[in-house]
């Protein structure tokens, strides 16, 4: 009789495209059998009445990322991965960010040192390219892509991060030649600067004016520009953290005419609104992130985009800054203009439970939930089928959910080093009960069994996300030359 290191029995298992009542057999960290009734393992977990889903893949989160303004992210790789784990995420992809003047290689080496001995779960790295010198474009990027750093984020805003339009074209061109995925932060920098100056001149500096300085139209404009550049260079891109219905409509329109284009949104655009930027005193600073949460009615449009396939992934954009901390949201004090408040909110632990509410409420089906939170990101970043799917041969990264046990989100129950959650008091229908990585139970009903440093670094393949159905290759510059 075959023996398994672990058998998960009697659950309803989310296999690709179908929820199936079966057992899961695990050996040497991998799934080796999926069948109605398997022989006992060295350890058996009774999953009767439970759902067994793939471990979440969070394709956009910021841990221990150096900042240029004296602020400090609350989570390092230990607290960040611990928090991810308790929320059912078993793979994270944070960012090795290039500081201008620094080589990309130095940024990557520095980031490995930050993860080393701390990460409890498996992780890959995206790059953030802020200084695309000829050496970066011609030598460093191609070499790093070949080594498994196959995705990079670029910014159209933030003075210390943003690229010019010409630099964006250069980076897209490298991605095209070497098969990498470019993630674009799409907001118009000059519009934000202009609006910020005007708001401050009128004395409008409270946290709520962060939203007024970054209205939906400036996200829509930058999104349209980024899509145009991707068509020109003929390379698929991913627009990250899409917040507004207008930007989403630009994306839908481009997808409709056959452009190979991907989009990500985040729980903050489904559960928060600009009303959360108000509140007594400086409280609204807790929800300052960019793009900002929009008016409450906008959320229905983003849910609709999830249900109709505009979005390929839902990520947390976890960027934790403590509230009551001079290195956090109060960097320049409680009376400071919104301009000086570090952008970002915690969310790596709440991402899956929040989105799962959409399944229970009938906004998306379970298959779509799995695709958006695990399979989609694993495919997008070249980690599939090792990650993001329950299949024979895949890593045994599994989450057992009891969908009949509602939980009210409270900061005291979370595991990040941040000192607040923007979702305090929201009741979600379920929470991960048991989280397994590579066959090992790492978290179970609030107890942690993971060791710092046991998470492995994952080099990524070149991403091969499917073109949207019926996609044609756009007729950009390179296409015309090849024809
Ligand atoms: N915006 C970003 O672009 N990154 C981190 C957090 C945020 O709010
Ligand atoms: Zn961003
Ligand atoms: Zn981000």
């Amino acid at each position: 009789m075959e023996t398994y290191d672990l058998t998960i029995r009697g659950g309803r298992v989310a296999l690709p495209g179908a929820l199936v009542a079966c057992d899961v057999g695990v050996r040497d960290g991998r799934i080796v059998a999926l069948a109605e009734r398997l022989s006992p393992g060295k350890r058996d977990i009774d999953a009767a009445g439970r759902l067994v889903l793939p471990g979440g893949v969070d394709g956009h989160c910021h841990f221990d990322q150096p900042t240029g303004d004296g602020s400090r992210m609350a989570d390092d790789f230990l607290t960040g991965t611990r928090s991810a784990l308790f929320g059912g995420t078993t793979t994270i992809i944070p960012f090795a960010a290039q500081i201008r003047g620094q080589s990309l290689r130095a940024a990557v080496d520095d980031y490995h040192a930050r993860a080393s001995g701390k990460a409890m779960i498996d992780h890959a790295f995206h790059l953030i390219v802020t200084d695309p010198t000829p050496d970066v474009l011609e030598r460093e990027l191609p070499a790093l892509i070949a080594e498994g750093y196959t995705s990079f984020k670029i910014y159209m805003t933030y003075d210390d991060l943003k690229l010019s339009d010409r630099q964006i074209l250069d980076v897209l061109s490298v991605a095209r030649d070497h098969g990498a995925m470019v993630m674009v932060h799409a907001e118009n920098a000059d519009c934000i600067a202009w609006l910020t100056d005007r708001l401050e001149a009128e004395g409008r500096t409270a946290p709520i004016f962060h939203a007024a300085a970054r209205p939906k139209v400036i996200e829509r404009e930058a999104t349209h520009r980024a899509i145009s550049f991707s068509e020109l260079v003929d390379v698929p891109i991913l627009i990250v953290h899409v917040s507004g219905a207008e930007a989403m409509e630009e994306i839908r329109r481009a997808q409709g005419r056959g452009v190979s284009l991907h989009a990500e949104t985040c729980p903050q655009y489904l559960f928060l609104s600009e009303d959360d930027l108000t509140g007594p005193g400086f409280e609204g600073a807790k929800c300052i992130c960019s793009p900002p949460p929009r008016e409450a009615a906008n959320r229905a449009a983003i849910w609709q985009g999830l249900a109709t396939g505009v979005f390929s992934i839902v990520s947390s954009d976890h960027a934790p800054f403590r509230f009551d901390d001079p290195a956090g949201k109060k960097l320049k004090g409680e009376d400071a203009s919104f301009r000086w408040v570090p952008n970002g909110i915690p969310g790596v632990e709440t991402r899956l439970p929040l989105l799962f509410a959409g399944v229970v409420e009938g906004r998306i089906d379970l298959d779509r939930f799995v695709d958006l939170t695990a399979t989609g990101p694993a495919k997008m970043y070249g980690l599939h089928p090792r990650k993001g799917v329950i299949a024979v041969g895949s890593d045994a990264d599994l989450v057992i959910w009891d969908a009949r046990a509602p939980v009210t989100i409270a900061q005291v129950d979370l595991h990040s080093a941040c000192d607040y959650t923007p979702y305090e008091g929201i009741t979600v229908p379920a929470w991960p009960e048991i989280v397994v990585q590579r066959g090992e139970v790492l978290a179970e009903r609030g107890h942690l069994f993971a060791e710092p440093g046991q998470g492995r670094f994952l080099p990524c393949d070149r991403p091969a996300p499917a073109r949207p159905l019926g996609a044609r290759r756009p007729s950009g510059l390179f296409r015309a030359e090849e024809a």
Side-chain angles (χ1 to χ4, degrees):
M1 198 194 293
E2 278 199 288
T3 54
Y4 303 105
D5 297 331
L6 172 70
T7 306
I8 297 175
R9 308 196 157 281
R12 286 181 302 147
V13 183
L15 302 182
L19 193 61
V20 176
C22 68
D23 294 352
V24 183
V26 175
R27 200 180 304 123
D28 297 329
R30 303 229 169 177
I31 299 166
V32 293
L34 294 162
E36 210 170 305
R37 184 136 190 87
L38 295 174
S39 56
K42 289 179 196 150
R43 175 169 182 185
D44 269 26
I45 294 177
D46 179 9
R50 310 287 201 268
L51 291 170
V52 182
L53 308 185
V57 178
D58 193 340
H60 184 161
C61 49
H62 305 265
F63 293 170
D64 201 8
Q65 189 177 307
T67 61
D69 61 0
S71 63
R72 199 174 48 248
M73 287 194 173
D75 283 315
D76 64 7
F77 273 82
L78 195 155
T79 59
T81 56
R82 180 182 68 192
S83 186
L85 185 55
F86 276 108
T89 287
T90 49
T91 302
I92 46 136
I93 318 181
F95 296 85
Q98 179 192 30
I99 299 165
R100 284 204 185 120
Q102 186 188 35
S103 76
L104 272 178
R105 177 70 63 185
V108 167
D109 290 347
D110 171 66
Y111 215 49
H112 275 290
R114 290 169 190 259
S116 173
K118 290 189 174 174
M120 294 184 176
I121 59 174
D122 292 354
H123 49 280
F125 294 165
H126 306 293
L127 309 173
I128 290 176
V129 181
T130 60
D131 198 2
T133 60
D135 190 50
V136 164
L137 294 168
E138 289 158 25
R139 192 182 60 77
E140 285 209 293
L141 267 178
L144 286 165
I145 293 167
E147 287 174 35
Y149 306 88
T150 60
S151 47
F152 23 98
K153 185 173 178 189
I154 58 172
Y155 287 80
M156 299 171 87
T157 189
Y158 295 129
D159 286 346
D160 53 342
L161 301 174
K162 72 180 183 209
L163 301 188
S164 69
D165 289 352
R166 189 185 176 119
Q167 288 175 317
I168 293 173
L169 292 169
D170 281 339
V171 171
L172 292 185
S173 175
V174 172
R176 181 185 191 274
D177 290 347
H178 296 273
M181 176 57 69
V182 181
M183 311 160 73
V184 182
H185 179 128
E187 290 184 294
N188 182 309
D190 281 337
C191 292
I192 294 168
W194 184 76
L195 285 166
T196 301
D197 287 347
R198 289 177 75 108
L199 286 161
E200 283 186 347
E202 292 163 8
R204 299 173 182 215
T205 58
I208 181 61
F209 295 110
H210 174 75
R214 309 176 98 101
K216 288 187 288 184
V217 65
I218 67 107
E219 182 190 30
R220 187 193 72 193
E221 184 281 327
T223 300
H224 177 79
R225 191 156 31 106
I227 295 169
S228 306
F229 295 169
S230 106
E231 290 182 83
L232 181 67
V233 178
D234 185 14
V235 64
I237 58 168
L238 167 70
I239 309 289
V240 292
H241 46 51
V242 176
S243 65
E246 283 84 342
M248 191 187 87
E249 284 314 319
E250 285 300 328
I251 293 163
R252 196 201 300 272
R253 223 154 52 88
Q255 289 170 338
R257 63 175 189 273
V259 176
S260 181
L261 172 66
H262 305 279
E264 169 201 81
T265 193
C266 313
Q268 47 270 43
Y269 308 119
L270 300 163
F271 288 87
L272 302 181
S273 77
E274 62 188 5
D275 298 341
D276 294 300
L277 293 169
T278 58
F282 199 56
E283 278 288 298
K286 289 181 175 176
C287 293
I288 286 188
C289 60
S290 290
R294 306 300 183 181
E295 81 281 5
N298 182 79
R299 295 179 295 201
I302 303 298
W303 276 112
Q304 200 240 1
L306 288 178
T308 55
V310 178
F311 296 105
S312 315
I313 59 177
V314 173
S315 312
S316 67
D317 198 7
H318 180 83
F321 294 95
R322 290 168 58 83
F323 181 64
D324 232 341
D325 193 327
K329 295 286 187 182
K330 295 183 182 169
L331 187 63
K332 305 251 175 178
E334 294 200 32
D335 294 325
S337 162
F338 64 85
R339 180 202 288 268
W340 304 112
V341 178
N343 283 201
I345 58 174
V348 74
E349 188 165 349
T350 45
R351 176 184 71 122
L352 293 174
L354 284 168
L355 197 67
F356 194 82
V359 177
V360 174
E361 289 163 10
R363 295 174 184 273
I364 53 173
D365 63 23
L366 186 67
D367 204 36
R368 189 100 189 94
F369 171 84
V370 168
D371 211 26
L372 288 164
T373 57
T375 318
K379 284 182 176 165
M380 185 78 67
Y381 300 120
L383 293 171
H384 183 271
R386 179 167 172 194
K387 300 294 187 187
V389 64
I390 300 181
V392 169
S394 296
D395 280 0
D397 295 353
L398 303 159
V399 180
I400 300 175
W401 294 70
D402 183 353
R404 304 156 305 185
V407 168
T408 298
I409 296 174
Q411 169 62 16
V412 290
D413 298 325
L414 300 177
H415 300 84
S416 154
C418 202
D419 59 354
Y420 76 96
T421 169
Y423 306 107
E424 186 80 32
I426 294 181
T427 299
V428 291
W431 203 274
E433 253 191 330
I434 300 179
V435 183
V436 175
Q437 173 147 88
R438 285 183 272 104
E440 210 183 318
V441 173
L442 296 190
E444 183 170 2
R445 297 184 182 89
H447 298 283
L448 179 69
F449 299 99
E451 293 293 333
Q454 78 172 89
R456 292 184 186 158
F457 176 71
L458 304 162
C460 296
D461 294 333
R462 287 176 171 81
R467 278 174 188 272
L469 228 53
R472 61 170 174 76
R473 291 177 70 76
S475 54
L477 176 67
F478 292 92
R479 186 77 188 141
E481 281 177 355
E482 282 165 5

